[in-house]
Amino acid sequence: MSLRAALRSMPDSLQGMGFMLGSASSVSAMNGLVHHISQSVHVFEIAFIRHLFGVILMSTVLLKNGLRPFVTRHFGLHAIRGILNVGATLAYFGGLSLEPLAKVVSLSLLSPIFASVGAVLILGERMTRYRWIALILGLIGAAIILRPGFQAISLGAGLVLLSNTLWALALVVIKMLSRTDSSVTVTLYAAVLQAPFTFVFALFVWTWPPIGLIALMGVVAVLGTVSQLCLSESFRKADATLVLPVDFTKVIWASLIGYFFFHQVPEIWVGLGALVVFTAVFYNAYHERGAAKASAT
């Protein structure tokens, strides 16, 4: 039996968990490479080259059936989503260059909660008590990680929180676009628009990096693309409440990579805060699933 046939014979739940593990591990490797490269190359350049390679990779996959995915009536929304994504990426990479990997990844877990609140404020969705509880738990987790009053909130941590906010707004725009455009169209426009947007920022700080670092940035693009594809496939194969616990392994991967490659000793407060934030995300996903089923019924 071939490997592909063996994978297809597995239950969807196991496939979903496997894809989520692939997403978590590949994005963790990407984070480690960005942290390493950012010591020599400005994050604006890293973001541009990452998206340049990314659009090439995504185009070969998404355009195999022609230019039909480019058809849309909402180019403006796609452009807004692209700008939000670029801002989120630049802020996130900036945070990666300044902060330990485990701290960055732990704070980034807040994005789904921020997106839930954004859906209430922008799309008019109802702020249920479950969302309130998830938001409060998420903020408690962030406070445990940042410990305001006991230590100053660093620039790197602020950049990660800014990235979370921008990414949450991007998720709301994606939700709006998904009502009329296919997932292929949404993904393709994101890939195509982000490269020129990041190029504008890169122009102000451009210096030619060594060929070895350019190759590593190509690896960053591959890992980022693999992570996105695995993430999408994971949610397609299995329920979010089943695969989200596997996504939490990002914190473990980040801690291991930070410790062995960058001599970063994980703080107990970061681990505890990450666990609280994950609980909030899982709680919110569980009740959102229940609400969606009730609405469908």
Side-chain angles (χ1 to χ4, degrees):
M1 180 184 294
S2 66
L3 178 60
R4 178 177 295 183
L7 290 174
R8 287 180 176 177
S9 66
M10 294 171 59
D12 283 350
S13 58
L14 285 180
Q15 289 187 48
M17 294 169 70
F19 279 117
M20 182 59 81
L21 183 60
S23 174
S25 56
S26 54
V27 78
S28 299
M30 184 196 78
N31 289 340
L33 283 177
V34 171
H35 184 79
H36 168 67
I37 298 168
S38 65
Q39 309 309 308
S40 306
V41 180
H42 198 284
V43 292
F44 289 0
E45 289 186 56
I46 300 173
F48 166 62
I49 295 177
R50 178 258 183 270
H51 286 301
L52 180 62
F53 280 109
V55 72
I56 295 171
L57 291 169
M58 295 297 283
S59 297
T60 58
V61 175
L62 299 177
L63 292 179
K64 59 184 179 181
N65 294 321
L67 299 177
R68 187 177 181 84
F70 275 113
V71 177
T72 181
R73 292 178 297 169
H74 303 287
F75 179 80
L77 279 178
H78 286 288
I80 292 172
R81 184 267 175 105
I83 293 171
L84 290 170
N85 270 21
V86 166
T89 300
L90 295 179
Y92 185 74
F93 281 10
L96 279 173
S97 70
L98 297 171
E99 294 289 340
L101 294 177
K103 185 175 182 180
V104 172
V105 172
S106 298
L107 286 173
S108 70
L109 294 174
L110 285 165
S111 289
I113 299 175
F114 286 7
S116 181
V117 175
V120 172
L121 297 176
I122 298 174
L123 301 181
E125 295 185 4
R126 193 162 61 94
M127 189 65 178
T128 63
R129 63 188 177 97
Y130 306 116
R131 287 179 169 177
W132 276 115
I133 292 172
L135 176 61
I136 292 170
L137 276 176
L139 293 176
I140 290 173
I144 293 173
I145 295 170
L146 298 174
R147 287 179 292 154
F150 295 93
Q151 62 179 16
I153 297 179
S154 63
L155 173 61
L159 286 173
V160 178
L161 292 176
L162 173 61
S163 174
N164 287 344
T165 304
L166 294 174
W167 177 236
L169 292 173
L171 288 174
V172 174
V173 176
I174 291 170
K175 193 169 187 177
M176 296 168 65
L177 286 168
S178 65
R179 297 170 178 170
T180 55
D181 291 353
S182 70
S183 58
V184 173
T185 298
V186 174
T187 304
L188 182 63
Y189 269 104
V192 169
L193 292 176
Q194 286 174 124
F197 287 160
T198 50
F199 177 66
V200 174
F201 287 93
L203 275 177
F204 292 99
V205 296
W206 187 266
T207 57
W208 280 102
I211 189 67
L213 290 181
I214 293 178
L216 283 181
M217 284 184 264
V219 176
V220 166
V222 172
L223 291 170
T225 302
V226 168
S227 176
Q228 291 178 34
L229 294 175
C230 285
L231 185 67
S232 299
E233 193 67 11
S234 174
F235 285 124
R236 190 178 73 85
K237 289 288 185 180
D239 192 89
T241 54
L242 183 65
V243 298
L244 276 177
V246 182
D247 187 48
F248 187 70
T249 59
K250 286 189 297 190
V251 179
I252 299 173
W253 286 118
S255 300
L256 292 173
I257 293 171
Y259 180 79
F260 286 107
F261 291 96
F262 303 107
H263 310 293
Q264 299 170 356
V265 179
E267 297 181 5
I268 185 65
W269 296 108
V270 171
L272 180 60
L275 186 60
V276 175
V277 172
F278 166 75
T279 302
V281 173
F282 183 82
Y283 178 85
N284 188 58
Y286 178 81
H287 287 287
E288 291 284 353
R289 181 193 66 164
K293 285 185 176 180
S295 177
T297 303

